[in-house]
Amino acid sequence: MAAGVALGVAQLIAGLIRGTTSPVISVGEWVIDHVPAPVKELAIRQFGTNDKPMLILGTVVLLAVFALVIGMLAVRRRWIGVVGIGVFGAVGVATAVTRTAATAKSAVPATVGSLVAAATLMFLLRPGPSGKVAEGASPAPTDRRRFLLGVAAFGAVAVAAGGAGRALARRFDVSSIRAAIRLPRATSVAPALPATADLGIAGITPFTTTNRDFYRVDTALVLPQVSPDGWELSVKGMVERERTYTFEDLLGRDDVVERDITLVCISNEVGGPYAGNARWLGVPLANILDEAGVHDDADQLVSRSVDGYTAGTPTAVVMDGRDALVAFGMNGEPLPVRHGFPVRLVVPGVYGYNSATKWLTGLELTTFASYDAYWAARGYAQQGPLETLTRIDTPQGLAKLAPGRVPIGGVAWAIRRGIEQVEVRIDDGPWQPARMGDVANGDTWRQWTLPWDATRGNHQITARATDGEGVLQTEERTPPLPDGASGWHSVVVMVS
Ligand SMILES: Nc1nc2c(c(=O)[nH]1)N[C@H]1C(S)=C(S)[C@@H](COP(=O)(O)O)O[C@H]1N2
Ligand SMILES: [Mo]
């Protein structure tokens, strides 16, 4: 119960002081930052986007077990309780003050929470009228009643404090500021989509992913709430002139462009869901870098988020004429908070972990030799090409179908190179060319479909793509770690 009070009080303080969090969050973030890459891939595979709630649940369960053991020991020896709470508080403080965005006040929730917990424990274990409650194995009935009443009262305190903290923390929410933003019109609008970009076949991923359905991958346990007032983007490092830009600077520029770009995550397995296609609005990243004047030997552009996340993008890629964007709009709206509000990067043809920094705050020109960004420091490739992948969206694996005509279909991507053709094979039959949706450029995925006369029995459907340079995607299956999954996607369906 003392641990519960600690968490409730810590949550209350996190709601009172901007920029602080509950120790559950700072411990969870510490785990995210230190977990080995294979374990992280496992968690994504097992829990998908639910990996975060699972981590919070796991942290709370571990804490509860720890508290139960300490509490039982403390009934006999109170100093064990005090030391246990001290350890718990120290872990909370240590993880809070080592967060990237930490300040002195970061230590306050865990410190106050554990002090209140120690006082709670002492109070609950104080000697009763019989003088024995804390020491004896079987306290007198009146002492037991008094003890249980105390436990119930403190439980109520913990829940009330925690609830108040959560309610107070809503003050820091930037969604109303976001809703009031008026985006500028693009000087260069996105090229019109061909009518068949979306083939309109049920079960195939829509060509444009809505903001709601767009996948989310990041290391943030609590979404950063970044107000555009006072926000600045700094450009520094190996440049002629350091520069800073406000949110108004970016929105007011005359080089605002709008582009359809598909974003792909390195953690996406063959057939996996971690890719999305949106219409982004922003300023060409190359123009921003040109204004700073990049040194010739600065081969790495490091982008930094307010939450300490970093990505390393090859400077040459950003400057080669592709539509790399400092983006503030997504599908006609300001960026959603979970997708990086107010400003993020989008670089077509580079996996998200190496380029698509959300809640962007700084750009630094440096070299690959001198710096490893967040995931590069954790075993992923510092740089590398984005794999060509083809996904079968419909029918789904293990689907039960009736005999007759069914559309097979999905999406394929080879961002920058573009997709030329998808082919489909039923069991060991011949490869058949799919009908392709048209697209405006190679920076997006392409839909494909093939009608199939399904016959009774179990069948394996396999799909593969050839990219815009005429290269067939590799059949060799590799996992996401360290440089992206490859291989042909296939599904088995049951027709009866
Ligand atoms: N600040 C921050 N930006 C980040 C990340 C992150 O963990 N923190 N993850 C990156 C990764 S791995 C990917 S795939 C994309 C995902 O962007 P999305 O969540 O908008 O789909 O964001 C990138 N930007
Ligand atoms: Mo990613």
Side-chain angles (χ1 to χ4, degrees):
M1 190 47 65
V5 169
L7 291 189
V9 168
Q11 184 84 58
L12 176 61
I13 290 169
L16 290 169
I17 311 178
R18 181 185 290 271
T20 64
T21 65
S22 153
V24 174
I25 299 302
S26 61
V27 168
E29 285 181 341
W30 186 91
V31 172
I32 291 179
D33 282 352
H34 292 85
V35 76
V39 178
K40 169 236 164 196
E41 288 297 337
L42 184 83
I44 291 196
R45 221 168 29 245
Q46 291 299 314
F47 306 122
T49 315
N50 286 329
D51 56 348
K52 293 196 173 89
M54 290 307 292
L55 175 62
I56 293 182
L57 184 70
T59 307
V60 172
V61 168
L62 263 181
L63 173 66
V65 170
F66 175 74
L68 274 175
V69 171
I70 296 294
M72 270 148 60
L73 295 174
V75 172
R76 299 285 165 75
R77 300 192 209 296
R78 277 193 237 173
W79 64 266
I80 296 183
V82 176
V83 170
I85 289 172
V87 169
F88 159 79
V91 169
V93 169
T95 52
V97 298
T98 52
R99 296 174 85 211
T100 326
T103 57
K105 60 191 180 180
S106 305
V108 178
T111 307
V112 177
S114 45
L115 288 176
V116 176
T120 304
L121 187 71
M122 286 303 116
F123 182 81
L124 287 173
L125 294 181
R126 72 197 185 284
S130 64
K132 281 172 63 181
V133 92
E135 319 294 338
S138 47
T142 51
D143 291 342
R144 180 179 296 163
R145 232 186 76 223
R146 198 183 57 139
F147 178 79
L148 290 177
L149 272 176
V151 166
F154 280 108
V157 168
V159 170
R166 293 183 74 108
L168 282 167
R170 271 182 227 127
R171 288 180 298 143
F172 308 135
D173 197 297
V174 291
S175 46
S176 57
I177 299 179
R178 173 181 174 273
I181 288 171
R182 294 206 40 160
L183 291 177
R185 229 173 243 291
T187 333
S188 162
V189 297
L193 287 178
T196 62
D198 206 306
L199 295 165
I201 290 171
I204 299 183
T205 308
F207 179 75
T208 300
T209 316
T210 61
N211 291 356
R212 237 183 95 171
D213 291 339
F214 209 94
Y215 80 96
R216 173 187 168 202
V217 169
D218 56 59
T219 59
L221 263 188
V222 216
L223 285 175
Q225 301 287 329
V226 184
S227 169
D229 316 319
W231 174 89
E232 265 185 1
L233 173 64
S234 66
V235 188
K236 59 179 192 184
M238 297 164 71
V239 292
E240 292 303 309
R241 311 159 278 280
E242 300 203 338
R243 310 266 311 202
T244 57
Y245 299 84
T246 65
F247 192 62
E248 290 72 42
D249 288 342
L250 293 183
L251 267 62
R253 289 173 63 107
D254 58 12
D255 56 355
V256 173
V257 303
E258 180 195 49
R259 294 288 181 265
D260 292 314
I261 298 169
T262 298
L263 188 62
V264 181
C265 179
I266 183 103
S267 294
N268 186 65
E269 292 187 276
V270 173
Y274 302 124
N277 181 53
R279 181 161 284 192
W280 308 94
L281 184 72
V283 170
L285 177 54
N287 293 3
I288 300 287
L289 296 191
D290 276 338
E291 286 166 12
V294 175
H295 293 179
D296 288 343
D297 46 350
D299 63 358
Q300 180 174 217
L301 168 68
V302 171
S303 47
R304 190 165 272 112
S305 157
V306 297
D307 67 358
Y309 181 84
T310 53
T313 317
T315 314
V317 156
V318 172
M319 305 303 273
D320 75 357
R322 72 185 69 195
D323 290 313
L325 299 182
V326 179
F328 38 75
M330 182 176 182
N331 291 328
E333 290 175 23
L335 287 179
V337 173
R338 49 192 241 122
H339 295 296
F341 180 78
V343 176
R344 76 175 302 170
L345 292 186
V346 179
V347 182
V350 181
Y351 283 117
Y353 80 109
N354 274 342
S355 67
T357 302
K358 306 192 273 188
W359 313 292
L360 180 70
T361 175
L363 298 172
E364 183 174 350
L365 277 303
T366 177
T367 62
F368 279 109
S370 65
Y371 185 75
D372 275 336
Y374 190 92
W375 286 115
R378 288 164 175 78
Y380 288 83
Q382 234 187 359
Q383 46 181 324
L386 202 146
E387 293 281 351
T388 302
L389 283 184
T390 311
R391 186 172 74 201
I392 303 168
D393 290 333
T394 186
Q396 291 182 348
L398 303 184
K400 293 193 172 72
L401 307 172
R405 179 148 286 213
V406 286
I408 300 172
V411 287
W413 60 82
I415 314 302
R416 285 305 287 161
R417 303 183 294 280
I419 293 288
E420 188 178 289
Q421 186 62 55
V422 171
E423 297 165 286
V424 184
R425 182 178 68 184
I426 311 294
D427 301 319
D428 294 325
W431 286 101
Q432 307 172 57
R435 179 160 71 92
M436 303 301 299
D438 280 323
V439 291
N441 63 49
D443 290 351
T444 62
W445 56 22
R446 250 181 118 167
Q447 289 192 351
W448 57 269
T449 186
L450 184 80
W452 174 45
D453 291 312
T455 53
R456 270 177 224 286
N458 291 352
H459 295 288
Q460 184 177 34
I461 305 169
T462 308
R464 64 179 192 186
T466 299
D467 73 13
E469 293 166 1
V471 180
L472 176 66
Q473 90 179 72
T474 178
E475 181 178 7
E476 190 201 344
R477 281 272 188 154
T478 59
L481 190 70
D483 55 4
S486 69
W488 298 344
H489 188 207
S490 70
V491 295
V492 170
V493 297
M494 294 167 278
V495 185
S496 59

